[in-house]
Amino acid sequence: MSVDPDSTNSTSSTDSTAADRLTPVLRPVRAGNGFEEALEQILQVVRLGLVPGGERLPAERELAERLGISRVTLREVLKVLQDQGLVESRRGRYGGTFVLPRKDGGGEDELRRRVAEVDIEDMLRFREVLEVGAAGLCAAHGLTDEQAARLREALAHTQDAPLSDYRRLDTLLHLTLAELCGSPSLTAQYAAVRATVNDLLDCIPLLVRNLEHSQRQHIAIVEAVLDGDADGAREMMREHCGGTAALLRGFLT
């Protein structure tokens, strides 16, 4: 007899941790496009690496509730992702829907395809506007003690991250800032543009010197936000985005 994965997933610590990471991305969909918007959001979860390869998505019941869709619709979404080789369904006591490890970048052909599909300058400028705005709003409006703790924790995770996991945890830090600014619309737009940024970053090497510099900027941004220094937070975030933009332009244009 098969076992419904939800019967064992919903109370696991793995699911709870994954659910926390998904907060900036998952939100109730609008009526009329439930399937399409739910697919878009879960694709962002996968592309952003919020649930790493080999880990389990939250239980169907929880995902459906957070997206505001039926479990029938959710299963249709998960079927699409499974057909695309992005997730797999496992049955049994430790079953559920698991994200499959990403395949390699595909070499030069894949790089050219990705670059051809993106207006890099437009994407970089839009990203800067969103990131600078989010950092400034967080600093200007202030954070609760709980929000400040979340931001510090996200920063700490990037400081301890191995190279293989750095990009995912860097993404989580930036998504946390976007979420804490208080604008769900900005958060949604940032999640979408960040997924595109990550697709391009996957085409270039991780440079230790750049990561060390980037980490110093992360610390300065978080300190400015926590100090309520809106101008400082915006300026440091603008500089931080400029560094990423320079790398992408250098490698890809």
Side-chain angles (χ1 to χ4, degrees), residues 23 26 54 61 64 76 82 88 95 99 108 111 117 139 150 166 169 184 192 194 199 206 208 211 219 241-242 250:
T23 298
L26 295 186
R61 183 182 300 106
E76 292 175 349
Q82 187 169 335
E88 68 176 5
V99 175
E108 290 296 319
L111 186 154
E117 291 177 352
R150 281 187 56 201
Y166 182 83
L169 295 173
R194 181 68 193 216
D199 280 347
L206 281 166
V208 173
L211 296 185
I219 293 169
C241 290

Side-chain angles (χ1 to χ4, degrees), residues 39-132:
L39 178 59
E40 176 189 17
Q41 290 185 41
I42 299 180
L43 276 170
Q44 285 182 358
V45 166
V46 174
R47 291 175 66 201
L48 289 166
L50 300 183
V51 178
E55 286 195 14
R56 180 172 50 197
L57 290 172
E60 285 184 2
R61 183 182 300 106
E62 179 178 351
L63 278 177
E65 288 176 354
R66 295 180 70 161
L67 292 165
I69 58 176
S70 70
R71 290 173 71 175
V72 171
T73 299
L74 177 63
R75 286 169 182 160
E76 292 175 349
V77 169
L78 296 177
K79 179 64 166 56
V80 171
L81 299 181
Q82 187 169 335
D83 290 344
Q84 294 300 309
L86 298 174
V87 303
E88 68 176 5
S89 178
R90 302 176 191 171
R91 308 299 293 181
R93 179 175 176 79
Y94 300 105
T97 301
F98 289 76
V99 175
L100 292 174
R102 295 187 65 168
K103 300 176 183 178
D104 62 48
E108 290 296 319
D109 289 343
E110 176 65 9
L111 186 154
R112 284 193 291 269
R113 182 190 68 78
R114 291 186 190 184
V115 172
E117 291 177 352
V118 176
D119 184 333
I120 294 178
E121 286 301 321
D122 177 70
M123 181 269 297
L124 291 174
R125 289 170 184 168
F126 188 41
R127 181 220 176 179
E128 180 178 330
V129 168
L130 294 174
E131 293 252 36
V132 170

Side-chain angles (χ1 to χ4, degrees), residues 139-170:
H141 294 169
L143 303 180
T144 65
D145 290 344
E146 180 182 357
Q147 290 173 329
R150 281 187 56 201
L151 187 57
R152 290 191 185 98
E153 182 180 15
L155 175 64
H157 286 162
T158 64
Q159 292 173 310
D160 299 333
L163 280 178
S164 60
D165 211 23
Y166 182 83
R167 202 156 274 162
R168 181 179 70 85
L169 295 173
D170 172 53

